[in-house]
Amino acid sequence: DAKTTQPNSMESNEEEPVHLPCNHSTISGTDYIHWYRQLPSQGPEYVIHGLTSNVNNRMASLAIAEDRKSSTLILHRATLRDAAVYYCILRVVNTGNQFYFGTGTSLTVIP
Amino acid sequence: DVKVTQSSRYLVKRTGEKVFLECVQDMDHENMFWYRQDPGLGLRLIYFSYDVKMKEKGDIPEGYSVSREKKERFSLILESASTNQTSMYLCASSSRQGQGIPGRSGYTFGSGTRLTVV
């Protein structure tokens, strides 16, 4: 059973904000929410992660719902280089920090 | 720069061959993982290892085995390659403790090996 669900694809115009949603209704109190992205012909790379509070870094922001059953990755100004598959992942601490991947959202950025 | 290195980017093998995919990490990570990635299915965990000589089955271990003789190296073995094992294979590593930063408990991935079995 998938631990995270995401839309298969989304589109955004260049230089506009993008909100990528993720549902993780079975999350437990100690599970972390991670986001990775995969550019063409590369392995996934870290974007951001959080536990309960919203998080910001130079790449993106992560907004976590109060009940933690959903989260949103926010790219503040999409660029063509942000076109990738974005994975929302649960890191389950009590299984040794194992990652549980969803099928990802393919983001297309339109010039 | 921390690295996970997979020995081949592209590989073509014949049905029935024994295939070895090698992965090496230089971060002294305890945990290592092998995934396969197929269109529409995302990343699926094949095997993982929490320590040298230890291995655990993931979600789809059938047709695969692994070897971890040294901490830095984790090998995926296809005992008798079949066409349905044509896929992108990704190796990852992470540290045991939970801090979520790449190079600590976040995962660091290799660039992948695209295997075609003909």
Side-chain angles (χ1 to χ4, degrees):
Chain A
D1 288 339
K3 290 186 179 286
T4 66
T5 55
Q6 303 172 249
N8 288 333
S9 61
M10 291 184 65
E11 284 186 354
S12 173
N13 293 320
E14 196 176 9
E15 298 193 2
E16 288 188 358
V18 184
H19 291 234
L20 299 167
C22 180
N23 288 319
H24 29 78
S25 58
T26 61
I27 192 170
S28 73
T30 56
D31 295 344
Y32 285 78
I33 302 156
H34 285 246
W35 283 82
Y36 276 61
R37 73 178 187 181
Q38 187 173 19
L39 302 171
S41 302
Q42 295 187 25
E45 61 178 5
Y46 173 85
V47 177
I48 201 167
H49 81 286
L51 182 61
T52 56
S53 305
N54 294 344
V55 183
N56 299 296
N57 67 20
R58 63 175 180 81
M59 289 182 71
S61 296
L62 176 60
I64 301 173
E66 198 169 328
D67 64 5
R68 303 210 322 128
K69 293 184 185 299
S70 65
S71 62
T72 302
L73 178 71
I74 302 164
L75 307 179
H76 296 287
R77 287 184 65 205
T79 70
L80 296 179
R81 288 176 295 180
D82 291 324
V85 177
Y86 287 79
Y87 290 98
C88 172
I89 302 158
L90 290 190
R91 174 163 64 91
V92 179
V93 174
N94 64 12
T95 63
N97 288 311
Q98 189 172 330
F99 273 23
Y100 291 85
F101 283 81
T103 53
T105 297
S106 178
L107 175 66
T108 300
V109 180
I110 302 166
Chain B
D1 219 9
V2 294
K3 262 193 195 168
V4 175
T5 303
Q6 294 184 229
S7 54
S8 305
R9 287 300 299 269
Y10 299 94
L11 215 49
V12 180
K13 295 292 182 181
R14 294 193 181 278
T15 301
E17 276 192 76
K18 190 168 186 176
V19 181
F20 293 85
L21 302 183
E22 305 288 346
C23 175
V24 177
Q25 50 97 0
D26 64 1
M27 295 164 283
D28 201 34
H29 280 170
E30 294 84 4
N31 307 329
M32 296 188 75
F33 307 84
W34 274 106
Y35 289 86
R36 66 177 281 176
Q37 185 175 33
D38 301 287
L41 298 176
L43 276 76
R44 294 181 292 166
L45 182 63
I46 305 171
Y47 267 96
F48 58 102
S49 168
Y50 287 149
D51 206 343
V52 176
K53 296 195 185 292
M54 291 182 65
K55 59 185 179 183
E56 298 284 343
K57 292 181 180 179
D59 299 321
I60 51 164
E62 296 79 18
Y64 303 95
S65 63
V66 290
S67 171
R68 191 154 181 214
E69 297 296 321
K70 294 185 177 181
K71 190 176 185 180
E72 67 271 18
R73 186 180 295 270
F74 192 34
S75 303
L76 180 69
I77 303 157
L78 286 66
E79 297 290 343
S80 178
S82 64
T83 54
N84 63 13
Q85 293 178 308
T86 292
S87 185
M88 168 70 83
Y89 290 88
L90 288 161
C91 175
S93 71
S94 72
S95 71
R96 186 168 292 148
Q97 297 305 315
Q99 296 300 318
I101 304 299
R104 296 177 73 181
S105 75
Y107 282 27
T108 302
F109 282 88
S111 297
T113 296
R114 186 165 294 282
L115 173 67
T116 302
V117 182
V118 298

